[in-house]
């Protein structure tokens, strides 16, 4: 067996065997197959696709390229959540403490933001002192004791995905259904939970721009997880506007704190209640979505959800004063973006908002770019709302970097309509 023959076979549109896929993944992880051959393999896969069976073998080969975490010593039901990546997506910061406050074990390994999308780790690090590196034993201990831990992926887990994702990022091979499915599911299976909930974003700020592709991706991931004995839920959600109002690290943490205190944006709150209620059903705590939502809302009202977030921040070395007093977060200078015309807002391009925020310094252009936690964008109006020309559409928080360019770009994110427009957040659920 050799890499060239496998690349040629995929290039010609033929299905690969389990052994051939393992040969490529193991060889690449060990450094025996060079980047240029893996790049060709990824590009051939991008154009020729994979069967569901190939994608399953690819996922398993990637999973087995590193350590698989054993959470079995934690008593209770263990859950994990992943988003395919969006703009303003601070869902994990709300969902994790919310369900953990009900005794469900939330053991999460998160990623950093890249390009126009943000990452949970960067948001958490906006809280002074918050430590996202922990060894696995301490991670398990923390989940056991306080039901929740959120850390960065350790080096030993899914070694293949680390190398492959970095290579996909620079070879134009990220938006491929089998490559995204195997990348996400290999990491999630390695993390060892009982149930996995996936938020599959659809729209301008997402890898999947249309519902049909997103459904294919969701069904594929659900089938891979089910085959590995996990309780799987994929919720397809709208990314044709940012989630909530805030985009940018400190701004998003503030919005998450407000949401845990019952004062969050409607869409973010709705998403957390939807995802949370499925996890509660999986854990056997409730029988229906309605029952789940009622229980979760009660945890917000009685202060247990925010109390769990405080516990998480304290356990990981963060300064909890920031959670009690969000006004402590440093924010950049404010500039208001005004509406150029009157009408119903029909579209706020998430990709463009994320890009503007990245230019201000909230995100990374390359993996080693420095982040400015204090900058970003806060929308004043969401899709469906009426705006008069000259009214404030959004506030830009900046420290001088690319301010004018970000303003211009942000302005181009808006579309208007004379007629009222409908907005739908939850597009479909695959369970
Ligand atoms: N998120 C991942 O972890 N992998 C992908 O390929 C895309 C989104």
């Amino acid at each position: 067996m050799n890499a060239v023959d496998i690349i040629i076979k995929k290039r010609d549109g033929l299905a690969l065997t389990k052994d051939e896929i393992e040969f490529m993944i193991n060889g690449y992880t060990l450094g025996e197959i060079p980047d240029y051959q893996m790049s060709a393999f990824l590009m051939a896969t991008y154009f020729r696709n994979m069967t569901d069976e190939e994608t399953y073998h690819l996922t398993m080969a990637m999973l087995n390229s590193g350590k698989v975490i054993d959470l079995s010593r934690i008593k209770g039901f263990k859950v994990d959540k992943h988003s395919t990546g969006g703009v303003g997506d601070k869902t994990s910061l709300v969902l994790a403490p919310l369900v953990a406050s009900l005794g469900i074990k939330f053991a999460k390994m998160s990623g950093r933001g890249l390009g126009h999308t943000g990452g949970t780790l960067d948001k958490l690090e906006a809280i002074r002192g918050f430590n996202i590196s922990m060894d696995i034993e301490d991670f398990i201990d923390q989940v056991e004791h306080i039901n929740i831990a959120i850390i960065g992926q350790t080096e030993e887990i899914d070694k293949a995905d680390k190398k492959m994702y970095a290579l996909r990022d620079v070879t134009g091979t990220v938006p491929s259904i089998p490559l995204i499915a195997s990348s996400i599911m290999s990491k999630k299976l390695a993390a060892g939970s009982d149930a996995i909930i996936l938020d599959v974003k659809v729209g301008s700020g997402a890898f999947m721009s249309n519902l049909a592709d997103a459904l294919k991706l969701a069904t594929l991931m659900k089938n891979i997880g089910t085959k590995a004995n996990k309780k799987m839920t994929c919720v397809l959600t709208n990314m044709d506007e940012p989630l909530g109002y805030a985009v940018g690290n400190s701004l998003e943490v503030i919005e998450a704190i407000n949401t845990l205190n019952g004062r969050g944006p409607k869409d973010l709150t709705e998403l957390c209640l939807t995802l949370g209620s499925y996890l509660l059903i999986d854990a056997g705590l409730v029988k229906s979505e309605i029952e789940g939502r009622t229980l979760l809302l009660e945890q917000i009202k009685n202060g247990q959800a925010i109390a769990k977030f405080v516990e998480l921040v304290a356990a990981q070395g963060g300064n909890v004063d920031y959670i009690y007093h969000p006004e402590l977060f440093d924010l950049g200078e404010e500039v208001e973006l005004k509406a150029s015309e009157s009408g119903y807002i029909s579209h706020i391009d998430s990709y463009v908002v994320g890009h503007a925020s990245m230019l201000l310094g909230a995100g990374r252009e390359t993996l080693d770019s420095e982040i400015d936690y204090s900058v970003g964008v806060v929308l004043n109006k969401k899709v469906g709302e009426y705006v008069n020309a000259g009214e404030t559409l959004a506030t830009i928080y900046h420290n001088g970097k690319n301010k004018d360019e970000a303003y211009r770009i942000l302005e181009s994110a808006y579309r208007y309509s004379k007629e009222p427009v409908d907005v739908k957040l939850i597009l479909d659920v695959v369970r």
Side-chain angles (χ1 to χ4, degrees):
M1 210 179 291
N2 69 69
V4 186
D5 289 342
I6 296 171
I7 295 166
I8 290 171
K9 195 170 168 188
K10 185 49 41 199
R11 182 201 67 191
D12 293 345
L14 301 172
L16 302 176
T17 64
K18 177 173 179 275
D19 288 349
E20 286 165 336
I21 290 170
E22 283 175 355
F23 179 86
M24 283 306 291
I25 299 305
N26 296 341
Y28 184 59
T29 308
L30 292 170
E32 289 160 2
I33 291 176
D35 280 352
Y36 56 81
Q37 282 187 314
M38 181 48 85
S39 302
F41 174 77
L42 293 169
M43 192 56 87
T45 303
Y46 176 91
F47 281 115
R48 290 301 199 166
N49 215 334
M50 279 188 170
T51 63
D52 291 0
E53 198 182 335
E54 283 177 287
T55 310
Y56 178 75
H57 293 317
L58 178 60
T59 307
M60 291 301 152
M62 290 169 71
L63 165 70
N64 292 323
S65 70
K67 257 195 191 164
V68 176
I69 298 187
D70 180 5
L71 298 179
S72 59
R73 82 170 148 89
I74 303 175
K75 290 190 190 67
F77 194 74
K78 289 142 278 192
V79 302
D80 196 358
K81 176 258 173 192
H82 191 84
S83 154
T84 56
V87 177
D89 188 4
K90 67 286 288 175
T91 311
S92 295
L93 302 186
V94 180
L95 179 71
L98 186 53
V99 300
S101 73
L102 284 162
I104 291 175
K105 309 288 181 178
F106 210 105
K108 177 149 173 58
M109 290 190 192
S110 288
R112 296 203 177 275
L114 188 62
H116 72 285
T117 62
T120 301
L121 298 183
D122 299 325
K123 292 168 202 181
L124 286 170
E125 283 180 342
I127 304 166
R128 188 159 299 168
F130 197 101
N131 173 28
I132 55 94
S133 323
M134 206 186 281
D135 73 36
I136 295 298
E137 286 308 305
D138 293 339
F139 172 72
I140 295 176
D141 277 352
Q142 186 174 315
V143 177
E144 207 171 11
H145 289 119
I146 67 165
N147 303 343
I148 182 169
I150 305 180
I151 61 167
Q153 283 262 317
T154 67
E155 282 306 311
E156 310 96 87
I157 289 169
D158 206 340
K159 292 182 182 163
D161 183 62
K162 279 192 189 72
K163 286 185 82 176
M164 286 166 70
Y165 196 82
L167 195 60
R168 285 168 59 207
D169 200 40
V170 293
T171 54
T173 51
V174 171
S176 147
I177 290 177
L179 297 180
I180 295 176
S182 54
S183 164
I184 291 177
M185 287 310 296
S186 57
K187 285 192 287 259
K188 293 292 105 181
L189 295 180
S193 63
D194 301 315
I196 299 167
I197 194 148
L198 301 173
D199 180 1
V200 180
K201 302 287 188 194
V202 190
S204 61
F207 292 119
M208 295 293 116
S209 55
N210 66 71
L211 190 56
D213 282 348
L215 255 177
K216 260 191 230 159
L217 175 65
T219 308
L220 187 55
M221 293 194 291
K222 185 211 72 176
N223 290 342
I224 293 170
T226 308
K227 212 164 164 176
N229 283 324
K230 306 290 174 187
K231 290 193 173 178
M232 291 293 303
T233 307
C234 300
V235 181
L236 282 70
T237 66
N238 179 21
M239 210 0 93
D240 266 332
E241 66 174 330
L243 184 66
Y245 292 95
V247 180
N249 299 287
S250 295
L251 294 165
E252 292 192 42
V253 177
I254 295 170
E255 190 164 85
I257 294 169
N258 289 339
T259 308
L260 285 164
N261 280 318
R263 297 189 300 273
K266 207 167 132 228
D267 57 351
L268 174 62
T269 305
E270 170 63 23
L271 180 56
C272 293
L273 294 177
T274 303
L275 299 179
S277 61
Y278 287 121
L279 291 176
L280 263 50
I281 294 171
D282 286 346
L285 250 62
V286 296
K287 296 242 170 333
S288 68
E289 227 201 307
I290 296 279
E291 222 188 303
R293 297 169 78 88
T294 310
L295 200 51
L296 293 166
L297 274 171
E298 188 49 38
Q299 291 306 95
I300 293 177
K301 281 199 198 116
N302 65 20
Q304 299 285 316
I306 188 72
K308 188 52 79 180
F309 190 54
V310 169
E311 226 179 326
L312 166 75
V313 171
Q316 295 192 215
N319 182 343
V320 297
D321 291 347
Y322 283 74
I323 315 308
Y324 293 122
H325 304 286
E327 65 280 5
L328 288 175
F329 281 98
D330 274 338
L331 295 179
E333 272 180 58
E334 297 180 25
V335 172
E336 293 188 346
L337 174 76
K338 305 288 184 188
S340 56
E341 55 186 282
S342 302
Y344 293 95
I345 300 175
S346 60
H347 183 65
I348 308 175
D349 193 307
S350 307
Y351 173 81
V352 174
V353 179
H355 187 61
S357 177
M358 184 201 76
L359 286 176
L360 294 165
R364 292 185 182 78
E365 264 169 285
T366 61
L367 264 177
D368 44 12
S369 320
E370 283 264 317
I371 282 209
D372 181 349
Y373 297 112
S374 69
V375 299
V377 174
V378 176
L379 308 177
N380 285 43
K381 302 262 181 190
K382 299 270 290 179
V383 169
E385 289 188 64
Y386 190 85
V387 66
N388 287 306
E391 251 190 277
T392 303
L393 282 177
T395 305
I396 293 173
Y397 290 80
H398 70 93
N399 284 318
K401 186 178 169 194
N402 298 325
K403 179 190 83 180
D404 295 337
E405 195 183 351
Y407 188 100
R408 246 185 304 109
I409 289 178
L410 191 59
E411 214 169 14
S412 73
Y414 288 80
R415 293 281 172 278
Y416 302 88
S417 150
K418 293 287 164 230
E419 307 303 324
V421 280
D422 276 343
V423 197
K424 197 168 175 211
L425 175 69
I426 310 290
L427 305 174
D428 211 336
V429 178
V430 180
R431 259 166 80 78

